[in-house]
Amino acid sequence: MTDNRIRDIVIVGGGTAGWMAAAALSRVLAGGGIRIRLIESEAIGTVGVGEATIPHIRYFNRLLGLDENDFVRRTAATFKLGIEFVDWGRLGDRYIHPFGSYGQEMEGLHFHHFWYRYAQGGGMLPLDRFSIGIGAARAGRFQRPDGARADTPLATLSYAFQFDAARYARYLRERAEASGVERIEGRITDIRLNGETGHVETVLLEGERSVDGDLFIDCSGFRGLLIEGALATGYDDWRHWLPCDRAVARACRRLGDPAPFTRATAKAAGWQWRIPLQSRTGNGHVYCSDNLSDDAALAVLDAGLDGEAISDPNFLRFTTGARRKVWNRNVVSLGLAAGFLEPLESTSIHLIQSGIARLLTNFPDRGFNQHDIDYYNRRTRAEYEQVRDFLILHYKATQRDDTPFWNYCRTMPIPATLEERIAIFRENARLYRHDNELFSETSWLAVLHGQHIAPARYHPIAGFLPDAELESRMNRIAAAMDAGVAGMPAHMAFIERYCRADAA
Ligand code: FAD
């Protein structure tokens, strides 16, 4: 039998995607006799943003065997309990999309059915009171989930991180190099394909160097050097649903303790992020170039900074959408080379992580089984479309009519998949999570409710509980949430105690 095993993996690009792939593959494939090389060009640099994450990154950290306190310290990270959305549904609105869940399941149903019944019957406690994540975020408190107190909301806390992207890439690089990944510095100037198979065979670098491989991982950023530049795979443009196509980012000095959440404030033609780190605050304005010039976008960003700006503005252009096939022949694209969904829900790093996990599940040999590749592409496309629909919801579910941008978003046609979800929810509060998709019922509920989409009815079984029992359960759950929050340390005190970053 011929040995068809992959022997040589070449990762093109050393941004977050490239180093995440290098760190994970070198750890999981250790002992398999596979050489892993990563090519990057300091002259080209990286996109330099990407600081907010979602809780799934903790699985990735576990896969890498990271010590979490060390990781937080080294990346100057803070903890994130959710995202606060300001001015999205209407000007003056403010709601938090929390990680974790609301309340607790009752009679086999999601909590929110009972809450809608309670609220429709005149109950006064708002939905937010039933999320420990929201309570802690608003109080500026944090602790890790407490598994020993399974009967309290503390067990259900969920969190992610907000970190310095440059430190994160350096941290992963250290780990990857320690596990044997070879880094090659240089600019790729050309790519050679095999005349028969059309597979990428060699990448050529300046200085007449070349690198051959069996499997190429394209992490070259928006350029998509291999997947698009060499293989012309094609890209689906989703700007008609997600019209923002530019961003300007800059850091500012941090005033006060960092909040344990990211903020996304809607603006006239887009939105502005605020990501508090230990070392500074990251900010950016994502906008639609049809409605706003770059100069005006920078002026809006600067006007919304908490403290003095400490970096130059970094202008970025993007096309929201997805590569038609993220895996084409012997090239798997990850990160910005695979597609881009704007950072409103901090999903890009997660999409890199799930691409890596899927690649490991479908890890090829040099025969490159087309069924595996097709499966990989189908699953990836489904994931992108599910996240896309969730993002579109934030724009569509607005009542704002104060600018042409919001008028467009409010009235634009949306994908049928999203239309159906909203219609079902409006009718009877039912929310479905398809195929274990990324965003759970909690997430959909947070945004639908936060942006004034209310159901006419609730699940009929939620009507079976006697009124007094419902009232008493609601009071009990809210009190347990309050007690949980009251017992937590301040976010900054937690950091000081366990994972304070070095000043450098
Ligand atoms: P890049 O960082 O662009 O890296 C590309 C690499 O390829 C570089 O090393 C470059 O040197 C190399 N390269 C390119 N061409 C060549 C060549 N010819 N020769 C050699 N090397 C080459 N994600 C989140 O999860 N959370 C967020 O909060 C978030 N915010 C974002 C905000 C904005 C405005 C944008 C645009 C993105 C954001 N993202 C966020 C996405 C996140 O930044 C990216 O997913 C992540 O940084 C991965 O980028 P990358 O590694 O694919 O590309």
Side-chain angles (χ1 to χ4, degrees), residues 11-20 38-54 57 80 161 163 165 168 183-191 204-206 218-225 246-249 262 271 273 275 283-286 314-318 334-352:
I11 300 172
V12 170
T16 301
W19 285 114
M20 281 177 77
L38 181 148
I39 306 169
E40 68 174 322
S41 159
E42 265 171 31
I44 295 174
T46 65
V47 72
V49 284
E51 304 191 320
T53 61
I54 57 175
I57 193 167
K80 174 180 172 187
F161 310 98
F163 55 57
Y168 184 56
R183 176 183 179 275
I184 300 170
E185 166 63 34
R187 181 191 290 262
I188 294 170
T189 51
D190 207 356
I191 292 146
L204 305 171
L205 284 91
E206 58 192 357
D218 187 348
C219 300
S220 62
F222 289 127
R223 293 170 188 80
L225 275 185
R246 294 201 187 169
V248 52
T262 294
W271 62 277
W273 78 74
I275 303 178
N283 307 277
H285 182 190
V286 175
N314 175 13
F315 283 95
L316 301 148
R317 293 175 176 215
F318 51 83
L334 292 172
L336 302 173
F340 185 63
L341 292 168
E342 59 145 283
L344 187 56
E345 285 283 355
S346 323
T347 42
S348 291
I349 291 173
H350 174 76
L351 292 170
I352 299 170

Side-chain angles (χ1 to χ4, degrees), residues 198-209:
H199 283 203
V200 170
E201 224 166 44
T202 311
V203 292
L204 305 171
L205 284 91
E206 58 192 357
E208 302 194 4
R209 290 173 294 160

Side-chain angles (χ1 to χ4, degrees), residues 219-267:
C219 300
S220 62
F222 289 127
R223 293 170 188 80
L225 275 185
L226 279 63
I227 195 81
E228 200 59 56
L231 299 182
T233 302
Y235 190 83
D236 288 327
D237 181 338
W238 289 337
R239 274 177 298 182
H240 50 295
W241 288 316
L242 292 165
C244 291
D245 58 356
R246 294 201 187 169
V248 52
R250 98 185 301 180
C252 74
R253 222 175 278 290
R254 182 161 67 69
L255 301 179
D257 288 347
F261 58 88
T262 294
R263 178 177 293 152
T265 305
K267 298 289 179 184

Side-chain angles (χ1 to χ4, degrees), residues 29 40 105 141 166 184 224 330 377 384 386 431 448 469:
L29 304 177
E40 68 174 322
E105 283 198 2
R141 292 171 186 259
I184 300 170
N330 64 335
N377 284 330
Y384 270 76
Q386 286 162 345
L431 292 165
L448 287 160
E469 173 64 16

